Amino acid sequence: MDGYRPSTYGDGFADVYDDWYADVSPPGATATFVATRTDGPVIELGSGTGRLAGPLREAGLPVVGVDASLAMLARSRSRVPSVPVAAADMAEIPVRHGSAGAVLVAFNTFFNLPTTSLQRRCLTEARALLTPGGIVIVETFVPGALPSGPADHVELARLDADGVVLRVSRTDPAERTVSGHHVELRDGEPVRLRPWHLHFTDPAGLDRIAASAGLSLRERYADWAGAPFDVDCDTQVSVFGAAEGPR
């Protein structure tokens, strides 16, 4: 998507994110999942409004949020002032190496990185942050059957008494990308466009990217509650650790 930058998504959705996405990556279940696997510190990449960082902190984990969007980080500082945040791209993490018990990348945040190369760099950086025995936790959707060629799609995303939100997207199966806008229409107000862009892969592809970054799969589940993962799942939560032997 031309003109799309690391901060574009966050800047476009910061004011509605907590309302529109309250049900994704359930904060309590996510914090419990992480807290049962590490004592921290936790570095959350794409930490946004602090929706997860707050519960992680309440679970007793030291946590630092990293996000490229200043609009998102402003809301995080207001919401959970006890959680320090850093404005940075996920592929260039400004945290001292060897300082994190866990790196968390929730929802589909990992797919916001627009190329496989940047995704590999992100996981390479994440691995370098880990203390011995540390883990990297990544949540993503699992792509279903892809169209044979580029496909456009329009659907109703939200509907209430004073407005409607349409989700307009284009999927390119060859590039493994889906780009789009949430188009918000409200009576008497200008049309609001909220752009997004994802570069997706399947779990096997994620494992390959992780392996090239020096990580190996330790656990995989269908959700934060620990439901078993199988080929019919549409989401996945993976736990990676540093691979043994030479990279």
Side-chain angles (χ1 to χ4, degrees), residues 1-62:
M1 181 182 286
D2 291 343
Y4 197 88
R5 301 180 301 278
S7 63
T8 297
Y9 175 82
D11 291 348
F13 284 84
D15 62 321
V16 295
Y17 190 86
D18 289 338
D19 180 29
W20 289 10
Y21 296 100
D23 296 331
V24 303
S25 306
T30 302
T32 298
F33 184 99
V34 177
T36 57
R37 289 164 173 79
T38 183
D39 294 325
V42 177
I43 309 301
E44 186 191 356
L45 305 183
S47 58
T49 65
R51 193 178 66 89
L52 298 180
L56 288 168
R57 186 72 186 88
E58 292 171 1
L61 295 172

Side-chain angles (χ1 to χ4, degrees), residues 93-120:
I93 307 168
V95 179
R96 179 170 56 85
H97 287 182
S99 63
V103 176
L104 171 64
V105 198
F107 193 30
N108 297 314
T109 303
F110 184 69
F111 290 163
N112 283 335
L113 292 160
T115 66
T116 299
S117 176
L118 286 172
Q119 292 173 355
R120 183 181 300 112

Side-chain angles (χ1 to χ4, degrees), residues 159-238:
L159 177 66
D160 55 43
D162 62 353
V164 62
V165 179
L166 304 177
R167 185 183 297 113
V168 181
S169 64
R170 170 168 291 175
T171 300
D172 186 332
E175 297 296 326
R176 300 187 75 82
T177 61
V178 55
S179 305
H181 279 277
H182 278 55
V183 183
E184 188 172 6
L185 307 170
R186 296 198 177 275
D187 189 27
E189 297 182 12
V191 175
R192 177 71 185 270
L193 300 179
R194 303 179 189 269
W196 48 273
H197 174 83
L198 300 175
H199 178 69
F200 59 85
T201 188
D202 58 16
L206 176 62
D207 293 348
R208 288 191 293 270
I209 296 170
S212 69
L215 295 165
S216 61
L217 183 67
R218 303 289 173 81
E219 307 172 64
R220 174 164 286 143
Y221 303 98
D223 55 30
W224 293 106
F229 178 81
D230 59 37
V231 296
D232 295 322
C233 293
D234 56 10
T235 61
Q236 65 84 37
V237 177
S238 296

